[in-house]
PDB file of all heavy atoms in Angstrom:
ATOM      1  N   ARG A  42      -2.530   2.631   7.261  1.00  0.00           N
ATOM      2  CA  ARG A  42      -3.736   3.452   7.446  1.00  0.00           C
ATOM      3  C   ARG A  42      -4.536   2.971   8.649  1.00  0.00           C
ATOM      4  O   ARG A  42      -5.072   3.772   9.418  1.00  0.00           O
ATOM      5  CB  ARG A  42      -4.603   3.405   6.178  1.00  0.00           C
ATOM      6  CG  ARG A  42      -4.037   4.227   5.034  1.00  0.00           C
ATOM      7  CD  ARG A  42      -4.823   4.014   3.739  1.00  0.00           C
ATOM      8  NE  ARG A  42      -4.264   4.812   2.660  1.00  0.00           N
ATOM      9  CZ  ARG A  42      -4.626   6.065   2.382  1.00  0.00           C
ATOM     10  NH1 ARG A  42      -5.574   6.639   3.090  1.00  0.00           N
ATOM     11  NH2 ARG A  42      -4.057   6.734   1.409  1.00  0.00           N
ATOM     12  N   ARG A 113       6.835   0.680  11.828  1.00  0.00           N
ATOM     13  CA  ARG A 113       7.394  -0.011  10.654  1.00  0.00           C
ATOM     14  C   ARG A 113       7.862  -1.411  11.017  1.00  0.00           C
ATOM     15  O   ARG A 113       7.617  -2.372  10.302  1.00  0.00           O
ATOM     16  CB  ARG A 113       8.564   0.774  10.053  1.00  0.00           C
ATOM     17  CG  ARG A 113       8.206   2.138   9.543  1.00  0.00           C
ATOM     18  CD  ARG A 113       9.074   2.525   8.358  1.00  0.00           C
ATOM     19  NE  ARG A 113       8.730   1.774   7.177  1.00  0.00           N
ATOM     20  CZ  ARG A 113       7.674   2.049   6.409  1.00  0.00           C
ATOM     21  NH1 ARG A 113       6.898   3.061   6.655  1.00  0.00           N
ATOM     22  NH2 ARG A 113       7.414   1.306   5.349  1.00  0.00           N
ATOM     23  N   ASP A 135       8.222   0.327   0.393  1.00  0.00           N
ATOM     24  CA  ASP A 135       9.535  -0.247   0.708  1.00  0.00           C
ATOM     25  C   ASP A 135       9.539  -1.760   0.503  1.00  0.00           C
ATOM     26  O   ASP A 135      10.314  -2.465   1.121  1.00  0.00           O
ATOM     27  CB  ASP A 135       9.888   0.050   2.178  1.00  0.00           C
ATOM     28  CG  ASP A 135       8.888  -0.577   3.147  1.00  0.00           C
ATOM     29  OD1 ASP A 135       7.735  -0.800   2.742  1.00  0.00           O
ATOM     30  OD2 ASP A 135       9.268  -0.853   4.298  1.00  0.00           O
ATOM     31  N   ARG A 184       2.816  13.763   0.830  1.00  0.00           N
ATOM     32  CA  ARG A 184       3.127  12.378   1.191  1.00  0.00           C
ATOM     33  C   ARG A 184       4.333  11.861   0.410  1.00  0.00           C
ATOM     34  O   ARG A 184       5.181  11.172   0.966  1.00  0.00           O
ATOM     35  CB  ARG A 184       1.908  11.478   0.961  1.00  0.00           C
ATOM     36  CG  ARG A 184       0.887  11.663   2.062  1.00  0.00           C
ATOM     37  CD  ARG A 184      -0.024  10.488   2.202  1.00  0.00           C
ATOM     38  NE  ARG A 184      -0.999  10.429   1.113  1.00  0.00           N
ATOM     39  CZ  ARG A 184      -1.394   9.298   0.544  1.00  0.00           C
ATOM     40  NH1 ARG A 184      -0.888   8.150   0.918  1.00  0.00           N
ATOM     41  NH2 ARG A 184      -2.303   9.322  -0.399  1.00  0.00           N
ATOM     42  N   ASP A 188       7.302  10.501   2.538  1.00  0.00           N
ATOM     43  CA  ASP A 188       7.596   9.071   2.361  1.00  0.00           C
ATOM     44  C   ASP A 188       9.002   8.838   1.797  1.00  0.00           C
ATOM     45  O   ASP A 188       9.635   7.833   2.102  1.00  0.00           O
ATOM     46  CB  ASP A 188       6.559   8.399   1.434  1.00  0.00           C
ATOM     47  CG  ASP A 188       5.146   8.431   2.022  1.00  0.00           C
ATOM     48  OD1 ASP A 188       5.009   8.678   3.231  1.00  0.00           O
ATOM     49  OD2 ASP A 188       4.182   8.210   1.262  1.00  0.00           O
ATOM     50  N   ARG A 191      11.905  10.201   4.773  1.00  0.00           N
ATOM     51  CA  ARG A 191      11.977   9.706   6.156  1.00  0.00           C
ATOM     52  C   ARG A 191      13.231   8.842   6.340  1.00  0.00           C
ATOM     53  O   ARG A 191      13.796   8.318   5.361  1.00  0.00           O
ATOM     54  CB  ARG A 191      10.712   8.908   6.501  1.00  0.00           C
ATOM     55  CG  ARG A 191      10.620   7.624   5.740  1.00  0.00           C
ATOM     56  CD  ARG A 191       9.409   6.791   6.141  1.00  0.00           C
ATOM     57  NE  ARG A 191       9.339   5.619   5.320  1.00  0.00           N
ATOM     58  CZ  ARG A 191       8.243   5.175   4.708  1.00  0.00           C
ATOM     59  NH1 ARG A 191       7.101   5.799   4.846  1.00  0.00           N
ATOM     60  NH2 ARG A 191       8.285   4.088   3.970  1.00  0.00           N
TER      61      ARG A 191
HETATM   62  O1   DC B 301      -0.537   3.156  -0.494  1.00  0.00           O
HETATM   63  P1   DC B 301      -1.239   4.182   0.406  1.00  0.00           P
HETATM   64  O2   DC B 301      -1.331   5.539  -0.210  1.00  0.00           O
HETATM   65  O3   DC B 301      -2.543   3.682   0.911  1.00  0.00           O
HETATM   66  O4   DC B 301      -0.266   4.315   1.684  1.00  0.00           O
HETATM   67  C1   DC B 301      -0.556   5.174   2.735  1.00  0.00           C
HETATM   68  C2   DC B 301       0.720   5.639   3.404  1.00  0.00           C
HETATM   69  O5   DC B 301       1.336   4.554   4.094  1.00  0.00           O
HETATM   70  C3   DC B 301       1.777   6.222   2.496  1.00  0.00           C
HETATM   71  O6   DC B 301       1.657   7.628   2.380  1.00  0.00           O
HETATM   72  C4   DC B 301       3.077   5.837   3.147  1.00  0.00           C
HETATM   73  C5   DC B 301       2.740   4.661   4.007  1.00  0.00           C
HETATM   74  N1   DC B 301       3.300   3.398   3.522  1.00  0.00           N
HETATM   75  C6   DC B 301       4.576   3.081   3.898  1.00  0.00           C
HETATM   76  O7   DC B 301       5.234   3.877   4.552  1.00  0.00           O
HETATM   77  N2   DC B 301       5.108   1.895   3.547  1.00  0.00           N
HETATM   78  C7   DC B 301       4.408   1.020   2.828  1.00  0.00           C
HETATM   79  N3   DC B 301       4.954  -0.168   2.511  1.00  0.00           N
HETATM   80  C8   DC B 301       3.091   1.329   2.420  1.00  0.00           C
HETATM   81  C9   DC B 301       2.564   2.549   2.759  1.00  0.00           C
END
Side-chain angles (χ1 to χ4, degrees):
R42 286 173 180 271
R113 298 211 72 78
D135 62 335
R184 283 203 286 142
D188 297 344
R191 68 177 177 227

